[in-house]
Amino acid sequence: MSDLSVALGAKLTLANPILTASGTFGYGDELSDLLDLEQFGGIVTKSLSLKPREGNPPPRIVETPAGMINSIGLANLGLDRFLDEKAAFLGQLKSTVIVNVAGREQAEYIEVVRRLQSMPWIAGFEINVSCPNVKQGGIEFGVNPELLGDLVSSLRNQTDKFLMIKLSPNVNDIRPLAECAQRNGADAVSMINTLYGSAIDIHSRRPKIHTVFGGLSGPAIKPVAIAHIIKAARVIDIPIIGIGGIQDGADVVEFLLAGASAVQLGTVNFFDPTAITGILAFLRK
Ligand code: RRO
C-alpha cells in the first residue's frame, strides 16, 4: 500500500495527511462504533477550556445551501472531566491525538496546556483563536496580531509539543496573523475556522440560530479557505493544515495544491463520517 505519511516539520509525522476537524468528532469515542478512527492521520478533539461550558441555547445548528451554521458556544466538559472521562480512550488509540484548546483569556490557554503538556499520548495542541460564537476570548486573539503574538510565545514557553494555531477567515488579510504565529514559535497553522453567517426563517421571521449569528462551514466555504491558504503559503514556511468544506479526494488534492501540507475533515463528518475511506483510496490511486 502506498505511503501517505507526511512530516509536519521536525516534530510530527502523520501516517496520512487527513485529520478530523475539531468539534465535528467529539472526543473520538462517540464515533468509534461507526468507523475505524485509526484510518485518520490524526484526531483533533473538540475545543477544551479549563472549566466546563454549557454552550449557547438551542437552536444552535442549521443546515444551509452547501453548508451549515453552528453556534455551539464552546460547549465542552472542561479539563478535569476530559482527563477523567476521555483520556483513557484517547490514550490507547494508535492515532496521533491533537488537543484543541480554547480560553477566555491568555491565562486559561496556558493553564490547560500546562496541565496536559506531560501526557505522552498527546502529540500536540491546536490553539483555537477563531471561535466566532463566544463573547469573550477566542476570536479576539485571532484578529489581533499583538494579542496573538503574546499568546503564541507564552504557549511556546510552556510546551515543546507540536503547537498549531487555528486561524479565522473573518479578517481582511490572514497574512499578518499567519506570520505572527510563525514568528512567535508556532510549528504550524490551521485554517480556516468558520465564517460568520446567519439565516432567517421567513415564516416565523425569526433567526434560525438562537444567537442570530453563527459559524458557516461546509462546501460553501471551500473557495474562501483555498484563497486564504494560497495567500498564507506565500508568506510563511511552517506547514499549513487546510480546513473548509472538504468532501472527497479531489478536494484534498486542491488544498494540497493551494499550499496545505495536510487537511482536516469537518462538516462532512455530519453526513458521511466514513468519507475518510474513499479519500484515502483516492489518494493511494
Ligand atoms: O463551539 C463553537 O461554537 C465553535 C467553535 Br469553539 C469554533 O471554533 N468554531 C465554530 O464554528 N464553532
Side-chain angles (χ1 to χ4, degrees):
M1 204 173 266
S2 53
D3 178 20
L4 294 180
S5 66
V6 55
L8 302 178
K11 276 184 203 163
L12 184 63
T13 296
L14 302 176
N16 68 62
I18 318 294
L19 301 110
T20 62
S22 176
T24 63
F25 241 82
Y27 301 95
D29 50 349
E30 296 90 336
L31 283 147
S32 59
D33 289 345
L34 276 181
L35 78 162
D36 173 11
L37 286 175
E38 289 168 1
Q39 288 182 93
F40 284 96
I43 309 287
V44 183
T45 60
K46 167 70 183 160
S47 285
L48 183 65
S49 53
L50 189 58
K51 300 283 177 223
R53 292 179 68 136
E54 289 257 307
N56 293 331
R60 50 191 199 179
I61 289 190
V62 64
E63 203 172 327
T64 57
M68 71 177 222
I69 299 174
N70 86 82
S71 180
I72 307 300
L74 207 45
N76 80 96
L77 36 68
L79 181 58
D80 290 339
R81 280 186 58 202
F82 174 76
L83 289 172
D84 287 350
E85 297 169 25
K86 305 294 176 181
F89 174 82
L90 289 167
Q92 54 80 41
L93 280 179
K94 283 194 212 86
S95 318
T96 297
V97 175
I98 294 180
V99 175
N100 182 300
V101 179
R104 282 193 166 83
E105 57 209 5
Q106 183 161 315
E108 184 175 357
Y109 287 94
I110 307 263
E111 180 63 5
V112 175
V113 167
R114 189 188 66 76
R115 285 185 49 199
L116 294 177
Q117 142 64 23
S118 60
M119 311 268 156
W121 52 272
I122 297 177
F125 300 101
E126 179 177 64
I127 305 301
N128 188 352
V129 290
S130 41
C131 175
N133 300 327
V134 289
K135 290 204 181 84
Q136 207 191 352
I139 205 165
E140 279 168 48
F141 293 93
V143 296
N144 180 334
E146 225 167 90
L147 283 183
L148 182 68
D150 251 18
L151 176 66
V152 176
S153 67
S154 23
L155 289 167
R156 183 73 290 165
N157 289 333
Q158 205 58 238
T159 181
D160 292 331
K161 288 193 196 280
F162 184 75
L163 184 62
M164 165 162 83
I165 312 299
K166 184 166 184 179
L167 296 179
S168 173
N170 298 310
V171 291
N172 260 347
D173 188 352
I174 208 161
R175 288 172 297 186
L177 295 147
E179 287 173 310
C180 171
Q182 171 169 285
R183 197 168 50 249
N184 286 282
D187 297 303
V189 289
S190 50
M191 63 179 73
I192 56 176
N193 206 320
T194 50
L195 279 160
Y196 282 123
S198 190
I200 298 168
D201 180 329
I202 61 163
H203 303 292
S204 68
R205 302 179 174 215
R206 307 271 314 146
K208 289 183 173 173
I209 288 277
H210 181 92
T211 52
V212 183
F213 305 105
L216 177 66
S217 62
I221 72 165
K222 195 183 85 176
V224 180
I226 295 285
H228 280 301
I229 292 167
I230 292 173
K231 273 186 155 183
R234 289 179 178 162
V235 297
I236 58 172
D237 306 316
I238 53 174
I240 298 172
I241 316 307
I243 319 160
I246 293 172
Q247 296 191 91
D248 57 23
D251 289 339
V252 174
V253 172
E254 192 176 347
F255 273 73
L256 299 180
L257 291 172
S261 301
V263 298
Q264 298 180 3
L265 305 186
T267 305
V268 70
N269 294 325
F270 289 87
F271 57 90
D272 181 13
T274 63
I276 176 75
T277 309
I279 289 176
L280 292 178
F282 183 93
L283 296 180
R284 288 195 171 112
K285 265 200 293 211

